[in-house]
Amino acid sequence: RTMGQLEHPNIVPVHALGCDRNGQPVLVMKRIEGFSWRELLRHPERATDPAIARSLARGLDFHIEIMMHLCNALHFAHSRGFIHRDVKPENVMIGAFGEVYLLDWGIARWMAPHERAGSGNTAQWPPASSQRSASRADWHPMPAAVIACRCRTTTSVSMGILTCSGGEGAMGATT
């Protein structure tokens, strides 16, 4: 239902949601093909599509461009009151023509206008009362993903601490 309410170029469109004759849920979405961002980060040599391989050759610029698309998708979702809550490279799909999709809205949360700062004023999003849960849930993984791109490491964020492990550039930093 969340995705059906968010029509944005970086969010997979839902065409229909309902039940079949047996009462089973039916979800009709746009078919997307490509690679998960995580797969491209870990194994760029597996990119069989020439267009994706050329994009990967741009290095950090390519990954920063992906981040910009993700930020646009999250900004749009937040402006509608939705928090994704599971932003990570495996929930991002890169298509053969550079399409970037933020996937897996399964644990997304909608905040009613009265829960948002300024009674629905999205200019003050996220609400002050939920700064720790809302903004960190969607925004803290973003710098971690950029650092992972640069260092070719695995990253995680816990309690505001960014931890990078593996690769030559492994480090720990406070976000």
Side-chain angles (χ1 to χ4, degrees):
R1 289 180 185 233
T2 298
M3 291 171 57
Q5 297 179 47
L6 297 174
E7 190 170 325
H8 186 272
N10 303 115
I11 299 172
V12 180
V14 174
H15 301 301
L17 176 65
C19 294
D20 67 12
R21 293 178 195 178
N22 299 322
Q24 296 297 311
V26 174
L27 177 67
V28 180
M29 302 169 56
K30 176 182 178 175
R31 178 182 171 87
I32 58 172
E33 295 182 30
F35 295 89
S36 77
W37 192 21
R38 179 183 176 119
E39 187 175 358
L40 294 177
L41 287 169
R42 290 190 170 196
H43 306 287
E45 71 281 357
R46 293 185 187 167
T48 56
D49 188 282
I52 291 179
R54 280 192 302 276
S55 295
L56 282 168
R58 294 183 19 236
L60 186 59
D61 289 344
F62 172 67
H63 296 289
I64 290 174
E65 195 172 297
I66 291 170
M67 294 293 296
M68 290 171 47
H69 288 290
L70 294 177
C71 287
N72 284 334
L74 289 171
H75 177 71
F76 179 79
H78 290 182
S79 75
R80 301 297 191 269
F82 289 95
I83 304 168
H84 185 279
R85 302 188 334 159
D86 197 18
V87 179
K88 55 189 176 187
E90 48 267 47
N91 285 342
V92 178
M93 177 72 76
I94 314 301
F97 297 100
E99 315 93 312
V100 176
Y101 295 106
L102 181 56
L103 308 175
D104 196 358
W105 291 79
I107 63 169
R109 179 167 184 259
W110 181 76
M111 296 186 78
H114 71 276
E115 294 179 285
R116 302 179 212 164
S119 298
N121 180 354
T122 57
Q124 297 179 27
W125 180 260
S129 63
S130 65
Q131 284 286 334
R132 294 194 63 80
S133 62
S135 66
R136 288 181 184 237
D138 278 354
W139 296 110
H140 268 132
M142 303 305 270
V146 169
I147 291 170
C149 296
R150 185 71 179 142
C151 307
R152 295 214 179 212
T153 63
T154 302
T155 62
S156 63
V157 177
S158 177
M159 303 290 287
I161 304 296
L162 168 64
T163 305
C164 299
S165 59
E168 291 182 20
M171 63 182 184
T174 303
T175 58

